[in-house]
Amino acid sequence: MLAEIKGLNEECGVFAIWGHEKAAEMTYYGLHALQHRGQEGAGIVTTDGDKMHVHRGVGLINDVFSEDEFDRLTGHAAVGHVRYATQGGGGFENVQPLVFRSQTKSMALAHNGNLVNAHALKNQLEAQGSILQTTSDTEVIAHLIKRSGNVSMEDAITSALSMIKGAYAFSILTEDQLFIGLDPRGLRPLSIGRLGDAYVVASETCAFDLIGATYEREVRPGELIVIDKDGFRTKQFTSPLKRTLCSMEYVYFSRPDSDLDGLNVHASRKTMGKQLAKEEPVEADVVTGVPDSSISAAIGFSEATGIPYELGLIKNRYVGRTFIQPSQELREQGVKMKLSAVRGIVDGKRVVMVDDSIVRGTTSKRIVRLLKEAGATEVHVRIASPPIQNPCYYGIDTSTKGELIAGNYSIEEMREIIGADSLGFLTTKGLEDSIVKDAESVEHGVCQACFTGNYPTEIYPDTEIPAYKE
Ligand code: SF4
């Protein structure tokens, strides 16, 4: 599905590299591969061992960086970030990596996720005299590190990690060290690779492929990695808890060419589509997927049922770049500008429309209408994930419960609202079976809280939902 019309958005992408003479350039390319995780801002910070160099800006990577910046971004190590504007707002001050300078040591933080106790920590920090300049959780982490009183950066970070709760995958760069960490449940994805002698870290493995790096392993839940002139060290800052990697990464966010916890995303989506076909079979003439993220599941559905897969919906790729703004009448058609139904494929046919998820239902309703206007005699909507009934507190903008169609209506009511002839969802068991290698093991497991309401961490009355604020 198309993020910009769906109202379901990832918060951020993180990239880091240590030990490469073109660290800034590699980070720039790595961020390109992660652009789908955030389009509101981007930044790179490098270190030459003595000084840190920063360039950040609002917009897409290509808008933020030009060739000139790379003359300044010197050094053998870098951290980079792409950002989607959620709770913290979309201003320049929130664009990461955030840089904190001091007389002893500077640090640049790039962070993906959401702290569930950020509000309480902000109150505590302000009561102790800290002045917070941004609204992001990243600054809270920085203040906790600075205030810990530890001389060693490693000890200061470990102390800060003992206070924060929620979902976080971060890279912290100082003049002479790189730190990588993942929350105790491993809610957000983070992988380590090698590029020659250099170490690379990225939210998704597609960033490794783009720069020619090889995947080594996942960062483990509760792991803190330190890379410096003495090499690579790792420690657990908490005892291992059952992993609960965000299942929506498989369903929707991650690129199909990425591997998460050792499983390719496209392959997992195909399995979800096959499982969906078993759980919610239907008689029809063609299967079509809503581009881009639902195509893999639609292929799986088609393979399992024998109903031919066809390109019944086409994405209008360059519509966002039009400089003549569409008229009000055209804008109201919303989806039509971004998606087209292919009349030659769907006219006179019973169509299975596979989508990855339903958030508010408005987009599904428009797509069903598009297909019917193009001549489909029946439209059967099949969703390759369970109904999203609860908000996410871990860095994904799923909207509030009041805005979620599945949080307020039964499946039959939803079917009627979106105008489909039938509607079926994948079960939570079907989703887990499609993506978890060994459900019994502590190392593998997924979060399904937005479907089930069973949050894998504490949630506090003042925990903020990272809802889009623009
Ligand atoms: S609540 Fe949903 S979107 Fe949030 S981390 Fe869990 S699975 Fe992912």
Side-chain angles (χ1 to χ4, degrees), residues 172-192:
I172 299 175
L173 185 68
T174 67
E175 284 87 349
D176 53 7
Q177 287 183 305
L178 175 64
F179 299 86
I180 310 296
L182 185 62
D183 68 74
R185 295 249 176 218
L187 273 147
R188 304 258 63 91
L190 198 60
S191 299
I192 309 168

Side-chain angles (χ1 to χ4, degrees), residues 231-245:
F232 180 102
R233 303 189 293 288
T234 172
K235 73 172 185 186
Q236 285 295 132
F237 62 86
T238 60
S239 47
L241 296 171
K242 170 81 177 164
R243 181 151 203 197
T244 54
L245 174 61

Side-chain angles (χ1 to χ4, degrees), residues 187-188 246-248 391-394 396 398 447-450 455:
L187 273 147
R188 304 258 63 91
C246 170
S247 56
M248 286 302 289
C392 174
Y393 296 98
Y394 304 124
I396 304 297
T398 52
C447 173
Q448 297 206 51
C450 49
Y455 293 95

Side-chain angles (χ1 to χ4, degrees), residues 9-14 37 81-84 86-88 96 110-118 135-138 141 164-171 181-183 186-190 203 246 249 392-397 464-466:
N9 293 284
E10 172 62 66
E11 198 171 348
C12 300
V14 172
R37 300 181 72 86
H81 194 265
V82 284
R83 177 167 200 279
Y84 177 74
T86 53
Q87 192 65 39
Q96 297 188 34
H111 159 245
N112 172 28
N114 197 55
L115 306 184
V116 293
N117 62 338
T135 46
S136 81
D137 291 357
T138 316
I141 301 172
I164 63 177
K165 293 184 175 23
Y168 50 88
F170 66 80
S171 297
L182 185 62
D183 68 74
L187 273 147
R188 304 258 63 91
L190 198 60
S203 294
C246 170
E249 291 283 351
C392 174
Y393 296 98
Y394 304 124
I396 304 297
D397 163 20
E464 292 165 345
I465 301 169

Side-chain angles (χ1 to χ4, degrees), residues 142-309:
H143 277 271
L144 292 174
I145 293 169
K146 277 286 170 204
R147 295 185 73 95
S148 79
N150 286 288
V151 179
S152 132
M153 191 67 180
E154 187 177 331
D155 292 343
I157 293 173
T158 307
S159 159
L161 293 177
S162 69
M163 299 174 75
I164 63 177
K165 293 184 175 23
Y168 50 88
F170 66 80
S171 297
I172 299 175
L173 185 68
T174 67
E175 284 87 349
D176 53 7
Q177 287 183 305
L178 175 64
F179 299 86
I180 310 296
L182 185 62
D183 68 74
R185 295 249 176 218
L187 273 147
R188 304 258 63 91
L190 198 60
S191 299
I192 309 168
R194 296 300 297 264
L195 179 61
D197 291 334
Y199 290 97
V200 284
V201 177
S203 294
E204 281 184 50
T205 59
C206 62
F208 297 161
D209 299 329
L210 195 137
I211 59 168
T214 49
Y215 168 81
E216 288 262 308
R217 67 169 174 88
E218 302 278 295
V219 177
R220 287 187 279 269
E223 182 179 18
L224 178 65
I225 295 167
V226 188
I227 309 172
D228 58 19
K229 64 176 177 22
D230 298 325
F232 180 102
R233 303 189 293 288
T234 172
K235 73 172 185 186
Q236 285 295 132
F237 62 86
T238 60
S239 47
L241 296 171
K242 170 81 177 164
R243 181 151 203 197
T244 54
L245 174 61
C246 170
S247 56
M248 286 302 289
E249 291 283 351
Y250 289 99
V251 169
Y252 172 72
F253 294 118
S254 291
R255 264 179 39 168
D257 53 337
S258 287
D259 292 347
L260 298 171
D261 200 12
L263 180 62
N264 172 256
V265 171
H266 163 71
S268 73
R269 287 180 188 160
K270 260 181 85 175
T271 312
M272 287 172 215
K274 287 182 181 174
Q275 181 65 28
L276 179 61
K278 266 194 231 158
E279 294 181 1
E280 293 287 346
V282 61
E283 284 198 12
D285 303 308
V286 292
V287 176
T288 193
V290 180
D292 293 319
S293 55
S294 310
I295 289 174
S296 308
I299 293 170
F301 194 99
S302 163
E303 282 183 10
T305 55
I307 305 170
Y309 170 77

Side-chain angles (χ1 to χ4, degrees), residues 15-49:
F15 185 93
I17 186 163
W18 179 274
H20 197 285
E21 59 176 3
K22 294 214 172 289
E25 283 88 342
M26 291 300 122
T27 305
Y28 170 77
Y29 292 125
L31 291 181
H32 262 284
L34 302 176
Q35 182 80 84
H36 61 288
R37 300 181 72 86
Q39 296 97 42
E40 310 293 331
I44 297 176
V45 178
T46 61
T47 177
D48 56 19

